[in-house]
Amino acid sequence: MTLVQTLAFGTTGNAAATAVYGWSPPEPGYTWAIGPRSALVLEVPAAPFGYILQIAWSPFLAGSQEFQPVGISIGGRKIADHQVRQSETATFPCPPPLPHEQRLLITFDHPEAAQPNLVSGHHDDRPLALCFRHLQLIRLDEPPPPPPPPSP
């Protein structure tokens, strides 16, 4: 595996240059994904075996909400549905880019973003979903192992 790109979110990070839409202004050490969808675009080298996407993030949980659901797509192809319940570093396999792709559009669907001022009386009126801290894109240098067989 070869590290392709590391994004650090927040005021001193480098992630703002990759933001397409759905991001709040960076804060010290993190950036909030806001509204129902956010996206990043990354320049990538060829990767015939695909990538691993690793994300350090935390959810905004409103009221009795137990998790923040998120769907992840690369170039319009869904790669994962995930539930962010607490601060975590999550890992997702990504398929190889299509032959013409030199950039990856990574889209995060977070339909349950909520405004803190409506659920907790806090003055913040941004529709918060996920607090991003770091993202790494790692190129696979050999085919991934086959998935385990289904349980009987």
Side-chain angles (χ1 to χ4, degrees), residues 37-70:
R37 178 178 283 169
S38 56
L40 302 168
V41 65
L42 304 178
E43 302 287 332
V44 294
F49 303 114
Y51 300 96
I52 297 292
L53 181 65
Q54 194 170 64
I55 307 167
W57 54 13
S58 301
F60 175 71
L61 301 176
S64 62
Q65 187 178 6
E66 294 183 16
F67 60 86
Q68 185 65 242
V70 60

Side-chain angles (χ1 to χ4, degrees), residues 21-23 33-40 57 68-74 76-84 106-113 129-130 132:
Y21 56 82
W23 301 95
I34 58 172
R37 178 178 283 169
S38 56
L40 302 168
W57 54 13
Q68 185 65 242
V70 60
I72 305 170
S73 299
I74 303 254
R77 298 172 285 171
K78 179 76 107 168
I79 65 161
D81 283 308
H82 187 68
Q83 297 174 350
V84 186
I106 305 173
T107 306
F108 302 94
D109 290 308
H110 26 80
E112 294 187 21
L130 296 162
F132 282 69

